[in-house]
Amino acid sequence: LGSAEDKLLFILVYQKTYPLQTKHGLQFGLSQPRTNYWIHELLPILQQGLAEMGMTPERDPQAVRESVLVNESAPDLLIDGTERRRQRPKDAKKQSEHYSGKKKAHTDKNILLANSHTRKVVYLSPPEAGKNHDKKIADESEIAYPRGATLGKDTGFPGYAPPGGITFQPKKAKRQGGECVGSVAARK
């Protein structure tokens, strides 16, 4: 990793795809121990740089209302839950807490809030056990939305309607002759 550009590409690819260190190292001509070294060297630098640029998501749900990332454009937001695999816990109680029937694996879950215009992540919740439902996590987070914000949500948030905003949930397109009506219109 001779140049700053190589280092930036290395850590961004790692953050985006989160591959095994052995595989990631092969892409850059590095051994697994050297890959591990560079990840631990570059990750704090990336995090500090993003924080200085104001590009890190809020971690405090009460600060979302005043966030620069929310107020860069109209407060049209999208909320979604994300799950990522984790190592299976050895403790039986923790196993059942982290087992996600949806993913058929042991997972951790976060709630993301993104600005639909800028496509930037505005809020990232603390990790929760994969068994918890998206709506329950969002309700317990008590996210403070800007007044008049619109909030798009998926099927993981039935009945989620925080005060002061307008929520909507896209409906599936009706099928005609085996094709979705929306997909036919999009192709024309």
Side-chain angles (χ1 to χ4, degrees), residues 152-172:
K153 56 187 184 173
D154 67 5
T155 56
F157 297 88
Y160 180 66
I166 302 165
T167 63
F168 65 93
Q169 185 171 340
K171 303 280 187 219
K172 283 188 177 179

Side-chain angles (χ1 to χ4, degrees), residues 69-84:
L69 296 173
V70 168
N71 297 309
E72 278 184 321
S73 62
D76 295 330
L77 306 170
L78 302 169
I79 190 169
D80 199 4
T82 64
E83 288 186 78
R84 65 189 176 289

Side-chain angles (χ1 to χ4, degrees), residues 34-35 43 59 69 73 88 95 102 118 125 146 154 162:
R34 207 68 194 141
T35 301
L43 198 52
R59 301 295 283 206
L69 296 173
S73 62
R88 181 180 176 190
Q95 278 184 25
K102 181 179 177 184
T118 63
S125 75
D154 67 5

Side-chain angles (χ1 to χ4, degrees), residues 28-68:
F28 289 87
L30 301 171
S31 65
Q32 185 277 324
R34 207 68 194 141
T35 301
N36 183 282
Y37 167 81
W38 279 113
I39 289 168
H40 285 87
E41 281 289 309
L42 297 174
L43 198 52
I45 296 168
L46 176 65
Q47 291 169 339
Q48 180 184 356
L50 291 172
E52 288 174 6
M53 292 175 11
M55 301 298 286
T56 54
E58 285 294 336
R59 301 295 283 206
D60 175 11
Q62 295 302 308
V64 170
R65 180 180 292 137
E66 305 301 324
S67 171
V68 174

